[in-house]
């Protein structure tokens, strides 16, 4: 399938890999026939590679709903987004829809997907964040002209989804990894191990991602290796991560930390890329 340059992330996501693609691409296997990304997030790597067969998963069911609607009903989604206004009062009224569980349950899938995209485009720092009750709680961003309706990109992504063989799921990542074919290449971009007590961010879904979860993920990587499945994983450059993946190839890369409430703390940071192949 010929790549379409308009196929690009439709959401800004914590830890998104768009700005690292030029660094990560040379580390990929030379040939990828089937692709799997169990923590899809904004999907920068998926949209960069545009594989013909892909297993796409995220524990955040609202996120997978957005992708499903883009595939199945993109014109209705674009029409719904056109009704949204970049105003604080309107933003908070939309944000509060999930506080009324009965009302939120009555929304159509298109309405829910449009809400997620709208909030992502207009909230502070484009930060998708929920509280322990699963309610969106990022504040209004006060942007002059956010691109709420990026119709060309939405249509291009929809076309890609419909012309490729994409398997969407919202389940535990280990379930996905257990069922993929041996010929699959896996890219893992999980919630990162925090580099400090104050840097931990796992608010894109309820529950968070602990060090026990990091160990479980490494055990899944061990299983992939035993099955002869190639994987590449991104994570923080912490002693804990180095210890976990000591048996694998580790490359240090520089990434920009763009999402931080304190401007002085944004900038280049070390990340690691772990691979079970040369």
């Amino acid at each position: 399938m010929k790549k379409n340059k308009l196929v690009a992330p439709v959401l800004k996501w914590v830890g998104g890999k768009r700005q690292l693609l030029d660094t990560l691409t040379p580390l990929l296997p030379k040939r990828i026939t089937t692709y799997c990304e169990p923590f899809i997030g904004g999907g920068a790597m998926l949209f960069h590679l545009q594989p013909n067969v892909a297993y796409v998963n995220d524990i955040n069911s609202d996120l997978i709903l957005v992708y499903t609607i883009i595939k199945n009903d993109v014109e209705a989604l674009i029409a719904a987004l056109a009704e949204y206004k970049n105003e604080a009062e309107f933003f908070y009224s939309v944000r509060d829809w999930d506080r009324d569980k009965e009302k939120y349950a009555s929304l159509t899938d298109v309405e829910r997907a449009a809400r997620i995209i709208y909030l992502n485009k207009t909230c502070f720092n484009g930060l998708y964040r929920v509280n322990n009750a699963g309610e969106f709680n990022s504040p209004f961003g006060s942007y002059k002209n956010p691109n709420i309706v990026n119709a060309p990109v939405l249509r291009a992504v929809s076309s890609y989804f419909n012309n490729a063989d994409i398997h969407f799921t919202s389940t535990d990542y280990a379930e996905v990894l257990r069922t993929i074919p041996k010929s699959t290449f896996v890219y893992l971009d999980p919630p990162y191990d925090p580099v400090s007590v104050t840097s931990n961010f796992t608010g894109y879904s309820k529950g968070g991602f602990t060090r026990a979860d990091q160990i479980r993920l490494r055990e899944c990587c061990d299983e992939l290796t035993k099955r002869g499945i190639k994987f590449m994983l991104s994570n923080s450059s912490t002693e804990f991560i180095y210890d976990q993946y000591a048996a694998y190839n580790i490359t240090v890369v520089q990434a920009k930390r763009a999402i931080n409430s304190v401007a002085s703390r944004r900038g280049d940071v070390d990340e690691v890329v772990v691979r079970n192949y040369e």
Side-chain angles (χ1 to χ4, degrees):
M1 186 187 303
K2 187 177 179 181
K3 289 186 182 181
N4 183 343
K5 292 182 179 179
L6 283 175
V7 175
V10 297
L11 296 168
K12 185 177 181 180
W13 214 253
V14 173
K17 291 298 176 289
R18 199 171 200 173
Q19 47 96 10
L20 265 180
L21 288 174
D22 288 344
T23 301
L24 296 177
T25 298
L27 300 175
L28 294 167
K30 289 183 172 59
R31 186 167 180 268
I32 298 172
T33 55
T34 303
Y35 178 78
C36 175
E37 193 166 349
F39 307 92
I40 191 64
M45 184 65 79
L46 171 73
F47 297 138
H48 171 66
L49 295 174
Q50 296 175 40
N52 290 330
V53 182
Y55 295 85
V56 173
N57 180 77
D58 202 280
I59 195 65
N60 187 320
S61 58
D62 283 337
L63 175 62
I64 296 300
L65 173 65
V66 168
Y67 292 139
T68 304
I69 291 301
I70 290 173
K71 177 181 179 179
N72 296 333
D73 210 352
V74 70
E75 294 304 325
L77 178 63
I78 290 169
L81 284 168
E83 301 298 318
Y84 286 90
K85 296 175 287 189
N86 182 39
E87 299 171 359
E89 184 177 354
F90 183 81
F91 171 89
Y92 286 111
S93 70
V94 173
R95 194 190 74 166
D96 286 350
W97 286 358
D98 60 11
R99 273 65 172 172
D100 184 338
K101 304 306 179 188
E102 187 174 338
K103 176 180 178 179
Y104 190 68
S106 71
L107 297 178
T108 67
D109 286 347
V110 169
E111 288 170 334
R112 290 192 192 194
R115 173 180 177 269
I116 294 300
I117 294 175
Y118 165 72
L119 293 176
N120 183 261
K121 298 287 188 180
T122 55
C123 74
F124 179 73
N125 253 341
L127 180 60
Y128 184 100
R129 185 183 68 192
V130 298
N131 58 25
N132 288 334
E135 299 165 345
F136 195 96
N137 66 350
S138 294
F140 183 58
S142 299
Y143 300 117
K144 187 174 181 181
N145 189 30
N147 193 3
I148 297 172
V149 192
N150 193 340
V153 168
L154 287 169
R155 290 187 176 113
V157 172
S158 179
S159 178
Y160 165 60
F161 284 165
N162 281 286
N163 285 289
D165 183 12
I166 311 289
H167 304 262
F168 291 109
T169 54
S170 180
T171 188
D172 178 65
Y173 68 87
E175 292 293 325
V176 180
L177 295 178
R178 271 195 285 269
T179 59
I180 56 175
K182 186 176 179 179
S183 59
T184 306
F185 168 69
V186 179
Y187 176 53
L188 299 153
D189 188 22
Y192 278 17
D193 184 48
V195 296
S196 68
V197 174
T198 58
S199 69
N200 192 12
F201 179 86
T202 54
Y204 76 101
S205 66
K206 293 188 290 182
F209 205 83
T210 66
R211 282 202 160 171
D213 293 313
Q214 296 285 359
I215 292 170
R216 178 173 174 250
L217 175 57
R218 192 264 305 152
E219 291 170 345
C220 285
C221 289
D222 294 342
E223 287 299 316
L224 290 175
T225 302
K226 289 177 185 176
R227 292 167 58 196
I229 295 175
K230 292 181 179 179
F231 78 82
M232 185 168 87
L233 174 141
S234 296
N235 214 314
S236 301
S237 180
T238 63
E239 185 177 346
F240 174 77
I241 293 299
Y242 277 101
D243 288 343
Q244 286 298 309
Y245 294 96
Y248 296 100
N249 295 321
I250 298 178
T251 303
V252 179
V253 299
Q254 287 275 303
K256 290 189 180 299
R257 178 181 292 153
I259 295 181
N260 196 305
S261 59
V262 181
S264 62
R265 294 180 186 172
R266 301 172 196 160
D268 292 342
V269 295
D270 284 346
E271 293 187 3
V272 296
V273 179
V274 179
R275 294 175 295 160
N276 66 347
Y277 57 92
E278 295 297 329

